Amino acid sequence: QRGWTKPHLVTYMESHDEERIQYKNEQYGNASGSYNIKDISTGLKGVELDAAFFFTIPGPKMIWQFGELGYDYPINYCANGTVSNDCRLSPKPIRWDYYQNAQRKEVYDEFASLIKLRFHPLYKDAFVSNRIDQSLDGAFKWIKLTTDTSNLVVVGNFDVTATTGTVAFQSAGTWYDYLTKATFTATGSAQNITLQPGEFHVYVNRNITNTTATAVPNVIWNENALEAKVYPNPFKETAWLEMNVPQSSAVSIDVINSIGQKLASLPQGFLIKGRHIVPLNNIFASAGNYYLKITTKSYQKTIQVIIQ
C-alpha cells in the first residue's frame, strides 16, 4: 500500500524505546463497570487482542524481550526497584518464571500460533502481499488479507463495552476461527458483528485446523443461570466448552480428575454476561473421566467430560 516493491517495513507493538504494553495496561488501563484493563488477567487478554492484529499485518515483526509473556516492568525500571528516566538502559529483571503462569503462557501460545500461521504453506503468501484492507479508526477494528485462494479476516473490539461493527468477508460460507476452532457463517456482503469488550477473532477461509463445522450446536440458555455444555462429549483431542455467564465477572475453569485433584486452571479473565466458547485442546493427560469446575463471582458449576 506504500508503493514499495518489497515488504521490508518492520513493525512492532513494543520497541527498545517504547513502554511495555502490559505495564501501561496495569497503570493506565480504561474501565467500564467491572471490566477493568488494570486487572492483570484482563490486561493480558488485551495483549492477545493487540497481537492478533500485529501478527496479521504483512511484513517483518519485532518482539521485545518477554513481550510474548506480557512483560510488565516499565522501560525506565532501575536495578534497585525504582523507576527513573536515568535507568532506561539499566538491566531489566529476567522472568522466565512467567512461562509457568497459565495466563501469561496463554499469551505465549497465541503468539506462537499466529507466527505459525504466517509460515503455513497455504497462507504464507498473504503475509507478503499488498492485497490488504483495513478499518482501524474506531474501537471495532478489522483487517482483511486476500490471495487468489487463501483469505483471512481479523476482527476485534478495543473498547471496554460491547461494540457492533460492520465487515464484509471476501466470500460467503463457513469460515474458521484459527485460534478457537469455532466457525462463523459469512454472507459475503456487509454484515454486523457484535463483540464483547476485548473480544477478537482470526478467521480463515480454509479449514487448516481440521475444525468440524457442526461442533458447537445452538443451545437455548437460561440467561439467569450459569450453564455449560461440552461438544462433543466424549471426545479424543478437541472439543468446545460453551457456557452462559449470567453476570459480567472474572471466570476461571479448573480441570479436576476423578479423585478430586486439580490438574490445571484455565483462567478466562473478565467475561461479559452472555454466551462464550472455550476450546479444550491438549489439557487432559490421558483418557478417562474428568470434571470442569467453572467459577464466576457469584456462581459455580461442575460438569463431567470423558476423554477417549
Side-chain angles (χ1 to χ4, degrees), residues 114-285:
L114 291 169
I115 291 171
K116 289 178 181 178
L117 177 61
R118 293 172 61 89
F119 288 91
H120 192 283
L122 296 178
Y123 278 88
K124 61 183 179 63
D125 289 344
F127 297 101
V128 292
S129 169
N130 64 353
R131 297 169 65 182
I132 177 172
D133 298 300
Q134 72 280 326
S135 175
L136 302 173
D137 292 336
F140 185 103
K141 304 180 188 297
W142 56 259
I143 292 176
K144 295 192 289 186
L145 300 182
T146 305
T147 74
D148 292 339
T149 57
S150 300
N151 302 326
L152 179 146
V153 176
V154 185
V155 294
N157 177 13
F158 286 77
D159 209 339
V160 293
T161 58
T163 301
T164 299
T166 302
V167 60
F169 284 67
Q170 293 94 317
S171 60
T174 299
W175 287 64
Y176 305 89
D177 191 321
Y178 174 72
L179 296 172
T180 70
K181 298 188 178 182
T183 59
F184 179 82
T185 302
T187 63
S189 57
Q191 62 189 114
N192 291 333
I193 298 177
T194 299
L195 299 176
Q196 301 304 321
E199 182 180 357
F200 66 94
H201 301 278
V202 178
Y203 291 115
V204 291
N205 68 324
R206 307 182 71 165
N207 190 4
I208 58 176
T209 57
N210 297 319
T211 296
T212 302
T214 58
V216 181
N218 291 327
V219 177
I220 299 176
W221 301 106
N222 176 359
E223 294 183 357
N224 298 316
L226 175 61
E227 295 195 79
K229 293 183 181 296
V230 172
Y231 306 98
N233 191 18
F235 66 96
K236 289 185 178 181
E237 296 179 354
T238 301
W240 291 263
L241 167 66
E242 183 179 15
M243 59 185 176
N244 177 71
V245 178
Q247 64 176 157
S248 299
S249 166
V251 176
S252 64
I253 303 169
D254 293 332
V255 180
I256 301 171
N257 65 16
S258 58
I259 60 174
Q261 296 173 318
K262 185 171 80 170
L263 304 180
S265 182
L266 309 174
Q268 301 302 301
F270 184 94
L271 297 182
I272 204 73
K273 176 182 177 180
R275 173 178 174 267
H276 298 272
I277 297 176
V278 179
L280 303 176
N281 303 323
N282 303 319
I283 62 174
F284 301 96

Side-chain angles (χ1 to χ4, degrees), residues 1 15 28 31 58 60 66 77 88 98 102 112 139 154 190 210 235 243 282 291 298:
Q1 288 193 327
S15 78
Y28 315 113
F66 295 107
Y77 186 85
R88 178 152 298 203
Y98 276 4
V154 185
N210 297 319
F235 66 96
M243 59 185 176
N282 303 319
Y291 297 89
S298 304

